[in-house]
């Protein structure tokens, strides 16, 4: 078995039901597989260790900081980041092996398509919504943003970025209810992030965000091709976009009420 000179790092909490597939899809690629756990109570740590991962505990500091912590645990110069609900497709697995087969890759970072897989599906729908963030990169090319809510790799100017053809399969939805619970917590964090950054979104957006987000998801992201489940996922997307702005508005309202009344000069 020939290992690829990359470190794979995964952030996780209570992912015992999903992280096994994530690890199994990469464990023969690398000799440096790290899971950064922020306090799982469902046995995630044991599942990861049994499959050969090195588990490191770090209290949850936010998405960006947790992934930066993960970068610091890696031994190799090339890093591959996966979430605990993502799996390399067989085609992507072979593509990464081939990329390193003849030495250093020609680019310093690579965008990889991530395709959603919904409950009841075994592989991505041909028209599944896809994004292509940088997930494979040389540590000298950049590192994850320090943002508490946005986990993206901030690359140095001039970094040469390539594109891989294979897919990461994203099993982000356990159930519709679980998705709503997850997004409810996430929108709390988003509202705080807007406040910390001093961003103020106009109140009129509250009235149009839900229908606009539904149209974006249902038609723009082609969820209408996924039948009834696609409709329901589009509704959940619209709900979380609405909650983000609703909580932002509420925080602004409460903060305004908490300020002492200004005394006009005589």
């Amino acid at each position: 078995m020939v290992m690829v000179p990359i470190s794979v790092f995964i952030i996780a909490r209570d992912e015992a039901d999903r992280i096994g597939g994530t690890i199994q899809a990469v464990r023969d690629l690398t000799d440096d597989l790290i899971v950064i756990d922020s306090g799982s109570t469902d046995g995630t740590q044991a599942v990861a260790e049994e499959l050969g991962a090195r588990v490191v505990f770090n209290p949850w500091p936010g998405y960006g900081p947790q992934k930066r912590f993960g970068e610091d645990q890696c031994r190799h110069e090339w890093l591959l980041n996966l979430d605990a609900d993502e799996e390399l497709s067989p085609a992507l697995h072979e593509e990464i092996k081939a990329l390193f087969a003849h030495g250093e890759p020609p680019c310093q970072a690579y965008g990889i398509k991530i395709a959603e897989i919904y409950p009841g599906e075994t592989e991505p729908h041909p028209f599944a919504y896809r994004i292509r963030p940088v997930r494979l990169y040389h540590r000298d090319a950049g590192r994850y943003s320090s943002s508490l809510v946005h986990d993206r790799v901030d690359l140095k100017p001039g970094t040469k970025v390539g594109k891989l053809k294979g897919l990461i399969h994203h099993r982000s939805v356990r159930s519709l209810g679980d998705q709503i619970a997850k997004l409810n917590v996430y929108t709390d964090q988003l509202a705080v992030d807007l406040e910390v950054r001093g961003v103020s979104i106009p109140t009129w957006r509250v009235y149009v965000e839900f229908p606009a987000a539904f149209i974006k998801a249902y038609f723009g992201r082609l969820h209408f091709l996924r039948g009834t489940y696609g409709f329901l996922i589009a509704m959940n997307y619209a709900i979380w976009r609405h909650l983000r702005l609703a909580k932002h508005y509420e925080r602004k309202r409460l903060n305004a009420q908490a300020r002492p009344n200004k005394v006009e000069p005589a």
Side-chain angles (χ1 to χ4, degrees):
M1 187 184 303
V2 178
M3 296 292 184
V4 177
I6 63 175
S7 293
V8 179
F9 68 100
I10 304 163
I11 66 171
R13 181 169 182 173
D14 293 333
E15 294 285 354
D17 60 327
R18 298 189 289 193
I19 200 169
T22 304
I23 293 173
Q24 288 173 339
V26 295
R27 64 178 179 174
D28 66 340
L29 275 180
T30 178
D31 61 358
D32 190 36
L33 174 56
I34 310 102
V35 171
I36 299 89
D37 187 85
S38 55
S40 296
T41 59
D42 68 343
T44 295
Q45 305 94 325
V47 172
E49 288 174 345
E50 288 172 5
L51 291 172
R54 173 163 52 95
V55 178
V56 180
F57 171 73
N58 193 54
W60 181 250
Y63 287 93
Q66 189 75 328
K67 291 201 173 184
R68 289 170 74 95
F69 178 85
E71 290 172 329
D72 293 338
Q73 310 310 305
C74 295
R75 292 193 291 104
H76 292 299
E77 296 301 303
W78 277 89
L79 313 178
L80 174 64
N81 173 242
L82 294 170
D83 288 340
D85 56 1
E86 297 173 344
E87 297 176 18
L88 263 62
S89 66
L92 178 58
H93 180 282
E94 294 305 309
E95 188 176 10
I96 292 175
K97 287 177 63 176
L99 185 67
F100 288 86
H102 302 291
E104 195 77 2
C107 298
Q108 292 80 50
Y110 289 87
I112 304 176
K113 285 183 180 179
I114 302 175
E116 299 170 304
I117 299 180
Y118 295 151
E121 298 176 340
T122 58
E123 59 185 26
H125 189 278
F127 296 102
Y129 175 64
R130 301 174 185 191
I131 58 175
R132 198 201 292 262
V134 168
R135 288 297 190 85
L136 176 64
Y137 56 102
H138 193 283
R139 67 166 71 246
D140 289 342
R143 66 180 311 180
Y144 266 91
S145 164
S146 59
S147 169
L148 301 180
V149 293
H150 302 295
D151 56 344
R152 65 178 182 274
V153 179
D154 288 337
L155 298 172
K156 295 178 181 177
T159 298
K160 187 177 181 181
V161 182
K163 297 179 180 179
L164 299 183
K165 296 179 181 179
L167 295 177
I168 292 175
H169 294 172
H170 190 199
R171 303 181 186 276
S172 64
V173 181
R174 287 187 175 101
S175 68
L176 294 171
D178 181 73
Q179 185 184 40
I180 284 290
K182 177 180 177 181
L183 294 176
N184 186 44
V185 173
Y186 186 49
T187 51
D188 286 339
Q189 299 169 348
L190 286 170
V192 171
D193 177 68
L194 289 171
E195 183 177 315
V196 169
R197 293 190 290 120
V199 176
S200 180
I201 299 175
T203 300
W204 65 263
R205 285 272 302 274
V206 173
Y207 295 93
V208 301
E209 191 74 7
F210 184 92
F214 175 80
I215 291 170
K216 176 182 178 179
Y218 194 59
F219 295 106
R221 295 186 174 183
L222 304 181
H223 288 338
F224 73 93
L225 296 175
R226 313 286 289 275
T228 301
Y229 210 89
F231 173 85
L232 296 173
I233 290 290
M235 287 290 287
N236 274 8
Y237 176 81
I239 289 169
W240 93 259
R241 294 290 296 183
H242 164 74
L243 283 175
R244 167 179 168 267
L245 288 193
K247 292 175 180 181
H248 172 60
Y249 166 76
E250 183 178 56
R251 290 184 70 88
K252 289 196 300 180
R253 177 184 173 90
L254 294 176
N255 288 339
Q257 291 175 347
R259 296 191 194 103
N261 293 329
K262 296 177 67 176
V263 178
E264 296 296 331

